[in-house]
Amino acid sequence: MATLETRSPSIDAGARIGLREAIARQGTAFWIVAALLLVMPLIATPFWLVQIIAYAIILGMIALSLMFLAGYGGIVSLVQMTVAAFAGYLVAILGDSAITQISLKWPWWATVPVAVVLASLFGVLSGALSVRTEGIYTIMITLAIASAFYYLSLQNYTIFNGFSGFNGILPPVFLGVDWGGDVAFYYLTLGSAALAYAAVIYVSRAPFGLALQGTRDNPRRMAALGFNVTAHRIAAYGFAAVIAAFAGVLLVWYQRQISPGTAGVGPVVDILIIAVVGGLSRPIGPFIGALVYVLLRTFSLDLLELVGLDGKRFQLLIGLGFLVIVLVSPDGLIGIAERVKGRYRRGREARTAEMGGPGGQP
Amino acid sequence: MSRGARPASAGSANALELRGVSRLFGALAALSDITLSVQPGERRAVLGSNGAGKTTLFNCITGDFAPSSGIIRFFGEDVTAFPPYERIRRGLRRTYQISSLFAGLPVLDNVYLACRGVSRNRYSLLRPRRDDALVHAAEGLIDAVHLTAVKDQLVGELAYGQQRQLEIALALSGAPRFILFDEPAAGLSPTERRDLVHILTGLPAHIGYIIIEHDMDVALRVVESVTMMHNGRIFKEGRPDEIEADPEVQDLYLGGGHG
């Protein structure tokens, strides 16, 4: 993780661009994708809109919180899915669900902020527990916290309702819109993810994010510059947890139910897979990884049956895909895209250089 | 400085005071019973052969290693149990023997981080504005070490001498009161050495420093006192000319070949 290099302009350049210039600097690919996402409800079926794209965006947000920690801080935390699930549970417990003997029926505008704050605190606490470790030990401790939460939610019936969890959790209706509707829910997730994405990019060049990259590259030097490396890393857990918590709220509205399986060891590791497959060097990576993951999960069953294999083996296809991508490119799909782009650019430069000589005299 | 409450006894206290500082690595005593005091604004060289314990001394002063025993005071305040960042925030700075920079970040970001580290709002989520005072401070420091032409380049792409100069710029960030220079001239060209002497002698008079340096032409020209170390102990202290003339020192360290 230490060799990861996040590419971005210097703080000086960052300081000098306003919103307008930041928008103007985006390439054509950004605008095509943005436009496509905005008009998606016109072209996609409700199934694609919600089950594929909105779900991928939600998982992408959770993986984005991991990308922030791992890409900028060198911290591989497996607790991000648990933070999201905890926020989801809180929405069910504080708000309304079919489990009326537990749910407190708070209105959504009280439920959501409290859920996000408490889940973020949980993220900070997990960070405080694991922050003094590095590499594989961070992974082990955060995995232990995630497992502990899983078993707690499985065995506790008074708050978490044990094995069956909560169902009948509905997205709220406000501003005259039923946010559970396909199109409205799609735009809700898209807007939230766009905000989280922009926040990560912005903060990565702010003093906090810059110092976080410093602690990744050279923690001892950061201490010798006056930074409290431990406290800085815990704060990074907090920032990441806010994103994961918001994603968790969306997740529970998407699933309309939540149970221990939401944050089992499988999903916890899936978030790591999504982030690594997409690429940890840029905030767009996790979203790409999430889309690939959701597509594989959804269609590998059909694909396997098509070639005469047992459809239940779809995890095999995901695992193989993961293996191939990681083997081919340590920086995930982003890394592959970068290399293709680089080769294309070099090829074009070579061609212009060839034509440049005689081109002077037509 | 960033915080108000500081022991204000700087007038009477030593800038740096070590009492009986020892550091063991297993059975090996890298430092034994070092007692040393440096006045505010005093500039001192620490000399000694490789393995004499000079860098370990720096690591104990900055808090990178805790001393096995002994007390360290910084401007009268007992900082023995303080983590490095607390000492840095009180005005202590250091440079590293082997450049210890952020290779993946541009020059300006490196210096900006150093300025941020000793200011408030280390956790700021807001990007600096165009007229941010710390960006200006960073640009001033870059100018002082003649790196303005490369301020937007990644540090990993800089020449070795430029990286050494950047090390010094980081140590000058904020309001330093005392600086530890660990072999700042190592690997520099003669011209760069001249620049270095210029920078060191040109520091404001209230900033004291300790310099570890093998190049006598640099070391003895920029200090008013010298401490000789050998096998983790101090075995001689004096003015540069006294040390240079001392037969025992010549024998042990200068190897007779000097001068």
Side-chain angles (χ1 to χ4, degrees), chain A residues 14 43 133 136 150 172 178 191-192 225 240 255 264 286 291 303 354:
Chain A
I43 46 181
T133 59
I136 193 139
Y150 168 72
D178 172 14
S192 310
L225 292 180
Q255 296 180 159
L291 186 63
L303 200 71
E354 256 171 46

Side-chain angles (χ1 to χ4, degrees), chain A residues 5 9-12 14-17 21 201-203 205-208 210-211 213-214 217-218 220-228 231-232 235 239, chain B residues 59 64 84-85 88-89 94 96 100-102 104-106 108-109 112-114 116-118 122-130 139 151-152 167 170:
Chain A
E5 223 165 72
S10 83
I11 193 138
D12 192 31
R16 292 196 183 159
I17 51 168
E21 290 153 88
I201 288 187
Y202 181 84
V203 167
R205 305 313 303 164
F208 176 68
L210 204 62
Q213 292 169 63
D217 292 343
N218 199 338
R220 194 173 152 210
R221 183 59 192 243
M222 285 305 280
L225 292 180
F227 288 92
N228 183 342
H232 214 91
F239 181 82
Chain B
N59 284 333
D64 283 39
Y85 62 86
I88 301 304
R89 290 176 194 177
R94 81 171 288 183
Y96 287 83
S100 178
L101 303 161
F102 306 102
L105 294 179
L108 181 62
D109 287 11
Y112 181 77
L113 273 180
R116 257 300 161 186
V118 289
R122 277 173 285 261
Y123 299 98
S124 174
L125 293 175
L126 297 180
R127 287 185 183 179
R129 292 151 56 100
R130 208 169 298 220
E139 283 172 341
K151 78 176 164 106
D152 291 322
E167 272 282 334
L170 297 193

Side-chain angles (χ1 to χ4, degrees), chain B residues 29 42 58 75 78 104 114 135 137 142 145 149 155 171 180 203 225 229:
Chain B
E42 184 183 338
F58 273 19
F75 286 91
D78 185 350
V135 173
I142 290 170
V145 296
V155 166
L180 306 173
L203 286 176
S225 58
M229 286 182 70

Side-chain angles (χ1 to χ4, degrees), chain A residues 12 59-60 68 73 118 204 206 223 230 277 321 353:
Chain A
D12 192 31
L59 290 181
F68 179 80
L118 289 181
S204 73
T230 306
V277 163

Side-chain angles (χ1 to χ4, degrees), chain B:
Chain B
M1 296 306 296
S2 57
R3 297 203 189 157
R6 287 280 150 71
S9 52
S12 56
N14 286 319
L16 190 65
E17 192 176 327
L18 279 73
R19 286 242 187 98
V21 170
S22 299
R23 169 72 201 192
L24 305 172
F25 291 109
L28 175 78
L31 291 179
S32 350
D33 198 24
I34 300 285
T35 295
L36 179 77
S37 46
V38 186
Q39 304 292 315
E42 184 183 338
R43 288 147 190 219
R44 177 178 303 216
V46 171
L47 306 179
S49 51
N50 289 326
K54 307 183 297 288
T55 298
T56 307
L57 178 71
F58 273 19
N59 284 333
C60 282
I61 296 172
T62 55
D64 283 39
F65 305 154
S68 308
S69 60
I71 290 174
I72 299 169
R73 288 179 194 280
F74 187 62
F75 286 91
E77 188 178 14
D78 185 350
V79 297
T80 317
F82 282 19
Y85 62 86
E86 284 291 353
R87 305 182 195 207
I88 301 304
R89 290 176 194 177
R90 280 163 172 74
L92 182 67
R93 301 283 185 277
R94 81 171 288 183
T95 71
Y96 287 83
Q97 191 176 355
I98 297 155
S99 291
S100 178
L101 303 161
F102 306 102
L105 294 179
V107 171
L108 181 62
D109 287 11
N110 272 261
V111 184
Y112 181 77
L113 273 180
C115 295
R116 257 300 161 186
V118 289
S119 73
R120 275 178 293 169
N121 298 331
R122 277 173 285 261
Y123 299 98
S124 174
L125 293 175
L126 297 180
R127 287 185 183 179
R129 292 151 56 100
R130 208 169 298 220
D131 53 353
D132 187 83
L134 289 182
V135 173
H136 283 304
E139 283 172 341
L141 285 172
I142 290 170
D143 193 47
V145 296
H146 317 301
L147 290 178
T148 303
V150 294
K151 78 176 164 106
D152 291 322
Q153 272 186 38
L154 293 185
V155 166
E157 296 166 357
L158 294 189
Y160 180 79
Q162 292 174 318
Q163 294 193 5
R164 301 299 300 170
Q165 271 157 316
L166 184 56
E167 272 282 334
I168 291 172
L170 297 193
L172 297 178
S173 61
R177 293 201 284 177
F178 199 84
I179 309 178
L180 306 173
F181 291 105
D182 197 347
E183 294 200 35
L188 294 189
S189 71
T191 327
E192 287 166 339
R193 276 167 201 243
R194 264 200 302 282
D195 281 348
L196 176 70
V197 170
H198 203 71
I199 289 170
L200 292 179
T201 49
L203 286 176
H206 72 276
I207 301 178
Y209 56 73
I210 297 181
I211 179 170
I212 297 175
E213 186 49 65
H214 284 292
D215 183 340
M216 291 302 123
D217 290 336
V218 173
L220 299 182
R221 279 170 61 190
V222 297
V223 299
E224 55 236 28
S225 58
V226 178
T227 296
M228 293 290 306
M229 286 182 70
H230 188 61
N231 287 340
R233 291 176 183 281
I234 291 175
F235 89 105
K236 201 142 273 174
E237 288 187 294
R239 291 197 313 273
D241 53 323
E242 288 170 353
I243 294 290
E244 212 171 5
D246 190 292
E248 216 181 344
V249 170
Q250 286 190 347
D251 215 35
L252 192 82
Y253 183 60
L254 304 175
H258 182 75

